[in-house]
Amino acid sequence: MKPSQATQRIAKRVVITGIGLVTPLGDDPEELFAALCDGRSGVATIENFDTELLPYRQGGEIRDFKPADYLGSKNLRPLDRTGRLAAAAAHNALLDAGWSEEARADHTIGLVLGTLFGSVHTISQFDCRALTAGPMYAKPLDFANSVINAAAGQTAIWHRLPGVNTTIAGGPAAGLQALGYAADLISSGRAKILLAGGADEMCYESYVGYHRGGLVCGGTGNAGSASRQPPHPIPFDGRRNGFAPAEGAAFLVLEEEEAARQRGARILATVRGHATTFDTSLATDTAATSASLSRAVGQALARAQCTVDEISAVSASANGAVRGDAVEATALADALANRTDAVPITAIKSMLGEPMGAGGALQVATLVTSLAHRTLPGIAGFSQPEKAVTLGGLSAETRKLPQSRAPIGLATALGLQGPSAALLIEGGADDGTSHHV
Amino acid sequence: MVAQPRIVVTGLGLVTPVATGRRQTWERLLAGADGISPVQSFSTEKFNVHLGAEVHDFAAADHLRNLDPTTLGRASQLAAAAARLALDDARIDPASLDPNRAGVALGTTSGEPLEVERFDDRLVADQLDRVGDEFIRLYPCHMIAAHVAAEVGFAGVNTMIPTACAAGNYAIAHASDALRWDRAEVMLAGGADSFSRITYTGFARLGAIAPELCQPFDRDRKGMIPGEGAAILVLETLERALARNATIYAEVAGYGLTCDAHHMTAAHPEGEGALRAMTAALNESGLHPDAVSYISAHGTGTPTNDRLESKAFRRLFGTRSKRTPTSSIKSMIGHTMGAASAIEAAVCALAVAENRVPPTMNFRQPDPDCDLDCIANEAREMPVEVAMNNAYAFGGNNASVIFRKCHP
């Protein structure tokens, strides 16, 4: 799709000026990057809820999450876990970008948050209490958080963000959709400064749902035999048998480039283009599903006025899912065309698990750091490529990226029965000025 | 700077507690219909309130041509039916479109709550072994936009915006921008929610449900009535609509989205965010507040909402707030949650197209705190050049959208 003249002429450039995240592998972008490069995993046996009745117990939990470390001593009771994760990541992102409470007093900062569930735990708890104790004993506080935009609302209240406050639910693509929409709002002049990213919590209800869907790693998945039981997710690997549900939150601070430069902000990267597409077969036709993702990549490249030859690295959404990873591999092979063997690809969900709404923002956040260091983490545990699809860029090894003045990174998100998305960022020059410190 | 494309409404699909279909719903609303009745979808025995605005006699199979309705959650069924009605109303054969340039943006409050309710029933009955793969397949709320797009074959932009009771307006804003930004050439925009015991319990627990009548802006108003429904608007550029000789209901002139950043469930005491949203929408439309002919209010019928919304009107319009015709169709169809502002957007588009405005029913006693011309109990014929659609939500979300007569 070719953007019209009008679109190109009014577009403002959108830059990333801050990153804030909370993950099973830490809350500091540099520490997370180091952990990913070392192949450390945040996936372990679940502790936050009782797994006694579940055959598989692997998940990406944030252990010892202490919201007060980020949010101070104010009363945290009104926020559920998703809300706390989101508010903590937002706190870090605002500080990282230099938007302290005083600095942002005269600015209308808004928020676009991607999520898959909001908090299905809060919703279910509210309902179950009404069922067992009677409706008049249900908890009003839980009801306030039962709306899917609760985390976005709580984050805006906590940090006093009066601008646009949008929640996007797009399955695994929610995070990239949120970043893309936020970039468009700034690019078109509708907003100047936005927090964009996503959040989801790890909870019993969603875990049971994924388990009953046959999607959690540790079992035999859809296609595997009893002998194929790696307990950890291994994206793109022939032995994979599912993903590890996980949790996390990540926000990037997006700003209009000129204003960011004027205030002396540190520019981490530029959002070059994005697109989102949909597979109308609802994943009943695998070829159509993969075509929808490769179409998103093509449209994102067209929007960015960039070619596939310029892509330095890919951060894929592959998480170990038996069907999804094969579809994403096919889509990437198609989208990368003549460079199928050349472009290094990572899949951070091999180590972070599947953080749902936070996934896309975590892919982009770690891609920003990767481009700054010219280093791409490997895919932990990857050793046996699937025969059907050849992607030369898959590797367990952490790789140096070629030196390039302004490297381009591609993040992809595949939605089975939901939208897919692709987003391109451009890293800074390799002179240390734009490194994340 | 190159002029932005103008965005127009060319099709309306409605599934509401008073009727299904654009013409039927509109006539019923103008006639002051009552869509409120004792709740049927679950027992209200343990509640102190019993009324709801359910969509009765709805069969998705009457509308769906592609998907099997039994494989969809109820909100998806309502939305997919509204999508079919909207495309038919717009005289668009979806097969004639470039699927990659046709998209969907929908809002919701609860997504598919009946799916989590079924899960919870099993959880409390210690029958979790009876949960199959349907929970994860049907429950996540993005499946509503997915089912709509799959039903009509739209492969472009696909966005689900769960910004609670302002979600319809958020989705219309998103969709109109997708057209302005050349990400699509036709968008289906709207909202859907199904009647839910979780929602009902929550509002009952807050003491927000009216026992007998929904009476927005009335001195004796006692609350809202939860409801369900779906509305979908067909949006396209003016250029495209003219080229295909479409019936244009109205132009989407501008919008404003803000956040109170004040409280999760209570509106700002000075109507701050609501005022900023209305002001932003008028500014983008290039209109002075005096140009507003009709306001479709959020008007839930709760004592607080109506008082604060009226206060925001006074701050925006000054003394003219008493003379700007304003109504709340929630008096007739209850609060349909994520569908509400989408249904009300359709009402604004029809008001602009036909110079008729629906009434606020059940209005008996004026409230000095709500000193408005609230089109009491009887529809009105009057010139409607500009209609403003307001919606407010949990999370402090505010959204106003301006619809204007289209003068090509």
Side-chain angles (χ1 to χ4, degrees):
Chain A
M1 181 174 67
K2 215 170 168 294
S4 70
Q5 287 296 314
T7 316
Q8 288 174 29
R9 281 171 65 178
I10 56 169
K12 300 175 199 301
R13 276 171 70 91
V14 180
V15 293
I16 298 168
T17 59
I19 297 173
L21 44 82
V22 281
T23 78
L25 290 169
D27 62 1
D28 176 82
E30 285 294 327
E31 268 176 36
L32 171 61
F33 176 70
L36 294 173
C37 287
D38 289 350
R40 287 206 294 273
S41 179
V43 174
T45 306
I46 290 163
E47 290 179 356
N48 282 0
F49 53 82
D50 187 2
T51 56
E52 200 188 337
L53 298 171
L54 300 168
Y56 322 125
R57 296 165 187 183
Q58 297 292 310
E61 284 176 320
I62 302 176
R63 297 274 164 82
D64 305 319
F65 172 59
K66 294 192 182 69
D69 291 354
Y70 312 90
L71 304 172
S73 54
K74 264 199 293 182
N75 179 18
L76 278 158
R77 265 191 69 235
L79 284 72
D80 63 16
R81 188 169 175 90
T82 306
R84 292 172 186 194
L85 293 170
H91 170 83
N92 281 6
L94 288 165
L95 279 192
D96 191 49
W99 286 115
S100 66
E101 214 169 323
E102 305 79 64
R104 63 179 188 264
D106 299 329
H107 296 270
T108 305
I109 300 183
L111 178 82
V112 185
L113 179 142
T115 191
L116 205 152
F117 288 107
S119 175
V120 65
H121 178 65
T122 301
I123 296 166
S124 176
Q125 289 278 296
F126 174 81
D127 191 31
C128 288
R129 186 169 165 84
L131 286 174
T132 52
M136 289 306 150
Y137 294 91
K139 292 182 180 165
L141 204 58
D142 282 349
F143 184 54
N145 286 325
S146 77
V147 290
I148 303 166
N149 63 326
Q154 296 283 20
T155 302
I157 293 166
W158 197 275
H159 299 296
R160 300 254 168 257
L161 306 173
V164 58
N165 189 283
T166 298
T167 297
I168 300 216
L176 291 188
Q177 287 192 320
L179 283 163
Y181 182 41
D184 281 352
L185 287 170
I186 292 173
S187 171
S188 64
R190 285 205 180 272
K192 291 194 165 60
I193 310 154
L194 292 172
L195 282 169
D200 262 297
E201 72 189 355
M202 172 90 158
C203 67
Y204 183 69
E205 293 77 8
S206 60
Y207 197 92
V208 168
Y210 284 126
H211 160 54
R212 288 302 159 82
L215 299 166
V216 176
C217 66
T220 55
N222 294 334
S225 65
S227 64
R228 290 170 43 163
Q229 293 192 358
H232 276 53
I234 318 180
F236 292 126
D237 192 284
R239 297 164 298 158
R240 73 188 182 279
N241 61 21
F243 60 81
E247 64 184 350
F251 281 110
L252 288 85
V253 177
L254 303 189
E255 300 184 48
E256 194 268 305
E257 182 180 29
E258 218 174 278
R261 290 200 186 281
Q262 271 170 18
R263 77 172 180 97
R266 184 196 39 170
I267 312 254
L268 299 173
T270 305
V271 180
R272 286 290 305 268
H274 71 93
T276 177
T277 56
F278 183 74
D279 162 31
T280 57
S281 86
L282 289 175
T284 54
D285 174 356
T286 308
T289 317
S290 83
S292 77
L293 177 56
S294 62
R295 191 154 42 81
V297 176
Q299 289 181 11
L301 285 166
R303 283 262 166 188
Q305 296 181 290
C306 171
T307 69
V308 75
D309 294 329
E310 295 171 68
I311 298 175
S312 298
V314 176
S315 180
S317 67
N319 56 13
V322 176
R323 276 188 79 201
D325 288 14
V327 172
E328 191 167 14
T330 309
L332 288 175
D334 183 31
L336 294 172
N338 60 322
R339 299 193 64 231
T340 297
D341 286 332
V343 184
I345 298 166
T346 191
I348 60 174
K349 293 174 187 176
S350 57
M351 294 166 271
L352 286 172
E354 174 52 72
M356 304 179 265
L362 284 170
Q363 284 171 251
V364 176
T366 54
L367 198 52
V368 168
T369 319
S370 283
L371 294 180
H373 288 279
R374 304 293 195 269
T375 304
L376 190 71
I379 300 167
F382 180 84
S383 70
Q384 295 184 15
E386 201 168 68
K387 289 187 184 67
V389 187
T390 317
L391 277 177
L394 301 177
S395 170
E397 302 299 318
T398 291
R399 292 141 288 176
K400 291 301 282 183
L401 299 176
Q403 293 302 314
S404 148
R405 197 184 56 77
I408 303 275
L410 166 68
T412 54
L414 174 82
L416 285 177
Q417 304 203 324
S420 290
L423 186 131
L424 290 152
I425 58 166
E426 179 183 308
D430 189 20
D431 58 5
T433 52
S434 60
H435 283 189
H436 197 92
V437 280
Chain B
M1 198 166 103
V2 178
Q4 294 243 350
R6 292 165 63 186
I7 311 305
V8 294
V9 183
T10 57
L12 299 169
L14 292 159
V15 182
T16 77
V18 290
T20 292
R22 186 253 306 162
R23 189 177 52 79
Q24 298 86 333
T25 304
W26 183 228
E27 291 307 329
R28 297 272 289 144
L29 290 174
L30 290 171
D34 183 5
I36 291 160
S37 54
V39 172
Q40 290 180 13
S41 40
F42 52 86
S43 164
T44 58
E45 197 187 3
K46 291 180 181 161
F47 292 81
N48 58 3
V49 282
H50 307 282
L51 295 178
E54 292 166 301
V55 174
H56 299 301
D57 309 321
F58 167 76
D62 294 346
H63 305 279
L64 272 54
R65 295 167 213 167
N66 188 16
L67 300 182
D68 171 1
T70 61
T71 63
L72 275 60
R74 182 165 173 89
S76 290
Q77 292 183 20
L78 296 168
R84 281 295 182 193
L85 290 164
L87 286 167
D88 286 351
D89 189 49
R91 290 179 290 112
I92 289 177
D93 171 9
S96 70
L97 302 173
D98 174 355
N100 299 333
R101 299 273 292 155
V104 177
L106 293 182
T108 189
T109 293
S110 305
E112 297 285 10
L114 303 187
E115 304 307 319
V116 76
E117 289 171 13
R118 193 188 338 264
F119 180 97
D120 295 339
D121 285 336
R122 285 169 178 162
L123 192 62
V124 300
D126 214 7
Q127 294 176 334
L128 214 51
D129 53 320
R130 291 178 59 191
V131 175
D133 70 345
E134 75 289 340
F135 175 57
I136 207 67
R137 257 191 312 109
L138 297 179
Y139 173 64
C141 76
H142 68 271
M143 290 312 297
I144 303 173
H147 284 136
V148 166
E151 167 63 23
V152 301
F154 283 13
V157 174
N158 189 276
T159 316
M160 197 70 210
I161 305 188
T163 45
C165 302
N169 270 355
Y170 267 75
I172 290 164
H174 183 90
S176 59
D177 277 345
L179 296 165
R180 289 188 189 99
W181 300 335
D182 198 29
R183 290 191 173 274
E185 63 178 76
V186 172
M187 287 293 293
L188 295 179
D193 259 297
S194 63
F195 203 80
S196 146
R197 105 184 151 214
I198 294 176
T199 307
Y200 201 84
T201 302
F203 283 112
R205 187 68 181 79
L206 294 178
I209 299 181
E212 289 170 19
L213 286 174
C214 180
Q215 298 171 276
F217 305 114
D218 188 286
R219 192 188 64 194
D220 299 325
R221 65 189 178 278
K222 293 186 178 63
M224 46 85 79
I225 304 272
E228 67 176 345
I232 287 189
L233 286 68
V234 176
L235 303 182
E236 58 190 308
T237 61
L238 174 61
E239 192 185 348
R240 189 181 191 285
L242 291 175
R244 70 178 188 91
N245 202 17
T247 301
I248 296 172
Y249 293 106
E251 177 174 357
V252 183
Y255 70 79
L257 309 178
T258 67
C259 183
D260 282 351
H262 166 71
H263 191 273
M264 273 305 282
T265 54
H268 189 281
E270 300 301 319
E272 198 62 48
L275 178 66
R276 280 192 292 119
M278 289 190 283
T279 307
L282 286 167
N283 285 347
E284 186 191 353
S285 310
L287 294 169
H288 188 273
D290 289 353
V292 175
S293 340
Y294 165 68
I295 301 169
S296 171
H298 187 57
T300 56
T302 65
T304 315
N305 175 85
D306 296 0
R307 179 169 52 80
L308 293 178
E309 191 173 7
S310 301
K311 190 182 234 180
F313 288 149
R314 279 198 299 280
R315 290 183 65 188
L316 177 68
F317 294 104
T319 54
R320 201 179 162 272
S321 74
K322 290 182 211 175
R323 299 193 304 275
T324 308
T326 302
S327 68
S328 168
I329 61 163
K330 291 187 177 80
S331 55
M332 297 176 269
I333 64 164
H335 188 344
T336 55
M337 303 288 132
S341 54
I343 296 173
E344 288 149 14
V347 161
C348 285
L350 288 163
V352 161
E354 298 192 4
N355 296 314
R356 294 193 287 173
V357 291
T360 303
M361 294 305 290
N362 310 320
F363 187 84
R364 293 164 183 171
Q365 295 288 338
D367 179 350
D369 282 344
C370 307
D371 192 6
L372 309 170
D373 169 7
C374 65
I375 315 176
N377 303 319
E378 220 167 304
R380 213 176 277 173
E381 286 196 33
M382 53 171 252
V384 183
E385 184 66 27
V386 173
M388 179 164 73
N389 189 32
N390 287 344
Y392 310 119
F394 276 18
N397 286 43
N398 309 291
S400 293
V401 179
I402 306 277
F403 297 87
R404 177 166 58 193
K405 243 187 213 8
C406 184
H407 305 286

